[in-house]
Amino acid sequence: MKTLLVILDGLGDRPIKELGGKTPLEAANKPNLNQLAAEGICGLLNSVDIGVRPGSDTSHLALFGYDPSVYYTGRGPIEAAGVGIELKQGDIALRVNLGTVDKKLIIKDRRAGRISSVKPFEEDLNKIKINRVQTIFRAGTEHRGALVLRGPNLSSAISDPDPHEVGLKVKKITPLEKGKAAENTARVLEEFVAKAHAILESHPHNKERVKANLLPANYLLARGAGVVPHIPPFPEKYGLKVACIAGGGLYKGIGRLLGMDVLPVEGATGGANTDLNAKFNAVKKALEDYDFIFMHIKGTDALSEDGDLRGKVHFIEKVDAAIPIVTSVKNLLLVLTADHSTPVCLKTHSADPTPILMHGEGVRVDDVKEFGERPCAKGGLGRIKGAHLMPEIMNILGKSKLYGA
Amino acid sequence: MKTLLVILDGLGDRPIKELGGKTPLEAANKPNLNQLAAEGICGLLNSVDIGVRPGSDTSHLALFGYDPSVYYTGRGPIEAAGVGIELKQGDIALRVNLGTVDKKLIIKDRRAGRISSVKPFEEDLNKIKINRVQTIFRAGTEHRGALVLRGPNLSSAISDPDPHEVGLKVKKITPLEKGKAAENTARVLEEFVAKAHAILESHPHNKERVKANLLPANYLLARGAGVVPHIPPFPEKYGLKVACIAGGGLYKGIGRLLGMDVLPVEGATGGANTDLNAKFNAVKKALEDYDFIFMHIKGTDALSEDGDLRGKVHFIEKVDAAIPIVTSVKNLLLVLTADHSTPVCLKTHSADPTPILMHGEGVRVDDVKEFGERPCAKGGLGRIKGAHLMPEIMNILGKSKLYGA
């Protein structure tokens, strides 16, 4: 039996007047999702815990059975994994923006005029040498990248140089706790940022930008330092060969961090304009080779954050139309849920639980006939937490370890 | 108000095609259980936790409010209590088979030809003297028994001599952790096993067996070493005079370990052929003297492990037919649930939750009219854990301690 876990990011919502008191999911025309609900078991899920409003990072860790209170050390490690850096336990990983500063180190733009890529700087920034510490810089999308510090005596307890506001001077990096490790790390990062600034100031690509009347990407703004924890890889933890199919970098990063094969899909954008058919077809193909597919769909969340009610309803209908591509796969355990709710009225994550459905041979069937927040509240799974999801899946797969005798 | 807790072992199941998508419990004709459900409150229960596939031992400890992560140290102590050894905190208890080995200590039969009892060896094995350690051997059913090591400087961190396979040589017992206690225990057990082998080889009962062309029970195969923890007796923990009515040795062992009076019932076999009327009549009688009866019924699990679908349905119908023997008892809180699910399609324990019903004066009534997995999913108890069961019972009994003021 194979497993497909579809995360419809930010799917959960609240009753909306314009929809006659229904949520976008309830209002959507979704015959296929309703059939899956009728044939399977439903419930409500809080990825971290009841009343907790989770980030995208903590929620996904929790859903895969990695307690975020143990494995979440900041966004840095996930971003660094997302841009493809091979992390080692003990690495200090940071998110990085390349921004624009003036001669007095006053921030003029935190995103260097939304530069399309910082890839042209990657090679030269990786030439920086720091005594006893290896540094790895990797470009991400647009102005973004990740930086990893590797070596002895390092700590993530350092302040961010990023003042998070235009017109302010970049901040000195300081240790946030006593001890040599934090002091050393602050010094190393200061040195790296200074050397990077010197390189970027005189970099040919920036000279071209200035000539073209564009802002130069001349300063490295780091944040979200986190130490890379020991993470038992998903394939070892569960004995399942696993692939990740996602458009957004963060979700690919989570996949990589957990030891999943991240499969590229042409047309997967990590937004509402993604090619859903291409993604579901890629999932169907991957199910031939893998035991477990983590499929991430961002559109529901992106549209919620835009407050685009009709867009969210329509996007759910598009997911419903595409899902028969995979429901024809035999011996499939299909699990459909979200990482958190993103009510369109709030345009941000909330702690409301998300609907969940499980469908496949061996799943107990309940009386829920429709996939929606209100019907799922009466489902046979009850109200579960993210930490319960993988154990419930392993139970259906017949792979639960016996506790006791 | 008296309490009867009926554990229908392995009751929970999954939807089955031959039963029109119903579970055995749902398919069974059970007017009495349905009436109890209609008049009481229902729910779903995971004895240990959601997604955990529990053994028979851990699940029962959890149901009685003894956290298995604290009180479960291996099967040994439960088996030793089951054969009637009075355990003391710190004892090392082991399950024992008497098997047959040849001159080179190669296992010929792990059960000595399913010998009917090892009682004839009990007295002589208890004459073995080991320096500073008291040893207690007690026969169980057939080839089974239990061994207890009592004394200073003992540990359960020792390897099993039992290779669990015919044709292999018995294994040397080795310490599994550093320190004198484990080394000492391995040495003591080696010495006991060697002395037992010498006694058994020349034992008159074995000589008779060989003459009768039966395999001699000439070697002691120990396993499941566990240190006896301090277990607060059930009567003290809850202030309830408690009896256990069970056929299977394991369940009597759990009862004894928790300080219950284990009442003998003629015809209680611990299998599907048990005399249910005799057991319910024994319960009815015991309710005159006791506050709380733990009644264990094994047939549902035994038939599930045999994959006997029709047998399981029929056995549930027999339980339904017998249950009016106790429902006539006045002022009774009747709680009916299982330790775990044993789906007939799997023939083994699963992590699926089990249905539960509570019936009696003071119990809130919900809308569930039928006792089954699917209706119970909508019950008023919701989805609870074993750890919640005794607190819910104590609440109905009016015996919950006030937390705060």
Side-chain angles (χ1 to χ4, degrees):
Chain A
M1 197 173 196
K2 306 288 182 97
T3 305
L4 168 60
L5 171 61
V6 182
I7 301 294
L8 282 163
D9 201 307
L11 174 66
D13 214 299
R14 294 181 177 178
I16 296 171
K17 268 195 193 138
E18 297 100 295
L19 300 178
K22 291 189 172 189
T23 66
L25 176 60
E26 287 163 9
N29 177 31
K30 44 173 195 323
N32 297 308
L33 292 173
N34 287 349
Q35 190 184 338
L36 291 169
E39 294 170 359
I41 195 167
C42 289
L44 290 178
L45 175 140
N46 284 91
S47 56
V48 176
D49 207 344
I50 292 178
V52 175
R53 187 164 83 92
S56 299
D57 38 25
T58 49
S59 58
H60 277 83
L61 287 174
L63 287 170
F64 292 117
Y66 294 82
D67 180 351
S69 75
V70 174
Y71 295 102
Y72 184 67
T73 61
R75 186 69 162 258
I78 296 167
E79 297 282 337
V83 297
I85 302 177
E86 291 280 338
L87 296 168
K88 293 188 178 176
Q89 188 182 350
D91 284 352
I92 304 298
L94 301 107
R95 305 173 71 175
V96 160
N97 279 9
L98 290 203
T100 308
V101 296
D102 67 14
K103 294 288 170 201
K104 289 176 178 170
L105 302 184
I106 305 292
I107 305 241
K108 290 178 70 177
D109 190 316
R110 288 184 63 252
R111 298 181 185 90
R114 281 240 180 231
I115 187 169
S116 63
S117 169
V118 295
K119 192 85 185 163
F121 308 111
E122 200 179 82
E123 192 182 335
D124 289 318
L125 290 177
N126 278 316
K127 286 179 183 160
I128 294 172
K129 298 280 174 221
I130 311 259
N131 186 29
R132 298 188 67 202
V133 174
Q134 184 189 351
T135 57
I136 305 160
F137 171 81
R138 192 69 58 91
T141 54
E142 300 178 321
H143 55 284
R144 301 181 195 93
L147 176 68
V148 162
L149 312 178
R150 181 174 294 162
N153 215 14
L154 294 174
S155 159
S156 59
I158 50 165
S159 67
D160 290 345
D162 187 349
H164 290 270
E165 212 170 303
V166 169
L168 296 181
K169 194 177 173 183
V170 298
K171 295 199 279 188
K172 190 175 157 55
I173 299 158
T174 54
L176 294 178
E177 64 181 25
K178 293 199 172 176
K180 291 213 169 158
E183 285 169 25
N184 183 46
T185 312
R187 197 166 47 231
V188 165
L189 190 55
E190 272 282 294
E191 187 180 336
F192 186 88
V193 167
K195 286 182 171 170
H197 183 46
I199 287 169
L200 293 168
E201 275 285 71
S202 60
H203 199 281
H205 188 63
N206 271 330
K207 290 194 171 155
E208 278 168 35
R209 283 182 67 80
V210 172
K211 259 189 214 157
N213 225 6
L214 296 168
L215 289 171
N218 64 2
Y219 204 86
L220 195 141
L221 296 161
R223 68 186 192 280
V227 61
V228 176
H230 170 67
I231 298 181
F234 187 100
E236 284 172 30
K237 189 173 162 81
Y238 298 110
L240 297 170
K241 193 179 174 199
V242 57
C244 161
I245 288 180
L250 172 67
Y251 311 96
K252 294 180 187 174
I254 287 166
R256 281 206 192 90
L257 200 65
L258 302 184
M260 299 179 185
D261 289 349
V262 178
L263 306 183
V265 178
E266 199 154 340
T269 61
N273 62 349
T274 199
D275 185 341
L276 283 170
N277 285 342
K279 283 179 83 172
F280 275 106
N281 277 313
V283 165
K284 185 174 184 174
K285 190 155 177 359
L287 281 167
E288 295 169 14
D289 297 323
Y290 290 89
D291 303 315
F292 188 107
I293 309 288
F294 157 42
M295 181 191 198
H296 184 270
I297 296 177
K298 183 70 176 172
T300 29
D301 186 63
L303 293 159
S304 301
E305 296 203 333
D306 291 344
D308 184 350
L309 174 56
R310 299 292 164 186
K312 187 172 184 178
V313 172
H314 183 57
F315 189 83
I316 293 167
E317 290 174 345
K318 286 205 292 181
V319 172
D320 185 80
I323 215 155
I325 295 169
V326 291
T327 49
S328 60
V329 174
K330 284 197 178 135
N331 276 322
L332 182 71
L333 172 61
L334 175 60
V335 183
L336 214 141
T337 188
D339 46 352
H340 51 74
S341 293
T342 308
V344 286
C345 60
L346 301 181
K347 299 185 182 179
T348 185
H349 301 189
S350 78
D352 303 286
T354 68
I356 172 170
L357 80 77
M358 296 178 73
H359 179 276
E361 182 75 26
V363 168
R364 276 199 195 152
V365 180
D366 60 20
D367 292 340
V368 176
K369 304 284 181 231
E370 192 201 326
F371 192 50
E373 290 81 347
R374 190 193 284 222
C376 283
K378 296 196 275 190
L381 281 173
R383 188 168 180 181
I384 62 172
K385 294 203 282 183
H388 299 135
L389 182 61
M390 284 305 302
E392 290 279 27
I393 289 172
M394 294 295 275
N395 177 48
I396 296 300
L397 297 180
K399 285 176 173 285
S400 301
K401 288 205 185 91
L402 189 67
Y403 173 53
Chain B
M1 196 171 196
K2 306 287 182 99
T3 304
L4 169 59
L5 172 61
V6 181
I7 301 293
L8 282 164
D9 202 307
L11 174 66
D13 214 299
R14 292 182 177 177
I16 296 172
K17 271 200 192 128
E18 297 100 295
L19 300 178
K22 292 188 171 189
T23 66
L25 176 60
E26 287 163 8
N29 178 30
K30 42 172 198 321
N32 298 307
L33 291 173
N34 288 346
Q35 191 184 336
L36 291 169
E39 294 171 0
I41 194 167
C42 289
L44 290 178
L45 176 140
N46 284 93
S47 56
V48 176
D49 204 347
I50 294 177
V52 175
R53 186 163 85 92
S56 299
D57 37 24
T58 50
S59 58
H60 277 82
L61 288 173
L63 288 170
F64 292 118
Y66 295 83
D67 180 351
S69 75
V70 174
Y71 295 103
Y72 183 67
T73 62
R75 186 69 161 258
I78 296 168
E79 297 281 336
V83 297
I85 301 176
E86 291 281 338
L87 295 167
K88 293 189 179 176
Q89 189 182 348
D91 284 353
I92 305 297
L94 301 107
R95 306 173 73 176
V96 160
N97 279 8
L98 290 203
T100 309
V101 297
D102 66 14
K103 293 286 170 201
K104 289 176 177 169
L105 301 185
I106 306 290
I107 306 240
K108 290 178 69 179
D109 192 318
R110 289 186 61 252
R111 299 180 183 92
R114 281 240 180 232
I115 187 169
S116 63
S117 170
V118 296
K119 193 87 185 161
F121 308 110
E122 200 178 81
E123 192 182 335
D124 289 318
L125 290 176
N126 278 316
K127 287 179 182 160
I128 294 172
K129 297 282 174 219
I130 312 258
N131 187 30
R132 300 188 65 202
V133 175
Q134 183 190 352
T135 57
I136 306 160
F137 171 82
R138 191 69 57 89
T141 54
E142 300 178 320
H143 55 283
R144 302 181 196 93
L147 176 67
V148 162
L149 312 178
R150 181 175 294 164
N153 214 14
L154 294 174
S155 159
S156 60
I158 51 165
S159 67
D160 290 345
D162 187 348
H164 290 268
E165 211 170 305
V166 169
L168 295 182
K169 195 177 172 183
V170 298
K171 295 198 280 187
K172 191 176 155 56
I173 299 157
T174 54
L176 294 179
E177 64 181 27
K178 292 199 174 176
K180 291 214 169 156
E183 284 168 27
N184 182 45
T185 313
R187 199 167 45 231
V188 165
L189 190 55
E190 272 281 296
E191 188 181 336
F192 185 88
V193 168
K195 287 182 172 169
H197 183 46
I199 289 170
L200 293 167
E201 276 282 72
S202 59
H203 199 280
H205 187 63
N206 270 332
K207 290 193 171 159
E208 278 168 35
R209 283 182 66 80
V210 172
K211 260 190 215 156
N213 226 5
L214 296 169
L215 289 171
N218 63 2
Y219 205 85
L220 194 142
L221 296 161
R223 66 186 194 278
V227 62
V228 176
H230 170 67
I231 298 180
F234 187 101
E236 286 172 30
K237 189 173 162 83
Y238 298 110
L240 297 169
K241 193 179 173 198
V242 57
C244 161
I245 288 181
L250 172 68
Y251 311 97
K252 294 179 186 172
I254 287 166
R256 284 210 186 87
L257 200 66
L258 302 184
M260 300 180 184
D261 289 349
V262 178
L263 307 183
V265 179
E266 197 153 343
T269 62
N273 62 349
T274 199
D275 185 342
L276 283 169
N277 285 343
K279 283 179 84 171
F280 275 105
N281 278 313
V283 165
K284 186 175 184 176
K285 188 155 179 0
L287 281 167
E288 294 168 15
D289 296 323
Y290 291 90
D291 302 315
F292 188 108
I293 309 290
F294 156 42
M295 180 190 199
H296 184 270
I297 296 177
K298 183 69 177 174
T300 29
D301 184 63
L303 292 159
S304 302
E305 296 204 331
D306 290 344
D308 185 351
L309 174 56
R310 299 290 164 188
K312 186 171 185 180
V313 172
H314 184 58
F315 189 84
I316 293 167
E317 290 173 346
K318 287 205 292 183
V319 172
D320 185 80
I323 214 154
I325 295 170
V326 291
T327 48
S328 60
V329 174
K330 283 194 179 139
N331 275 323
L332 182 70
L333 172 61
L334 175 60
V335 183
L336 213 142
T337 188
D339 47 353
H340 51 75
S341 293
T342 308
V344 286
C345 61
L346 300 181
K347 299 184 182 181
T348 185
H349 301 188
S350 78
D352 301 287
T354 68
I356 173 170
L357 81 76
M358 297 179 73
H359 179 276
E361 183 75 25
V363 167
R364 278 198 196 154
V365 180
D366 60 19
D367 292 340
V368 177
K369 304 284 180 230
E370 191 201 328
F371 192 51
E373 289 81 347
R374 191 196 282 222
C376 283
K378 295 197 277 189
L381 281 174
R383 188 170 179 180
I384 63 171
K385 293 202 284 182
H388 299 135
L389 182 60
M390 285 305 303
E392 290 278 22
I393 289 172
M394 294 295 277
N395 176 49
I396 297 300
L397 297 179
K399 286 176 172 285
S400 300
K401 290 206 184 89
L402 189 65
Y403 172 56

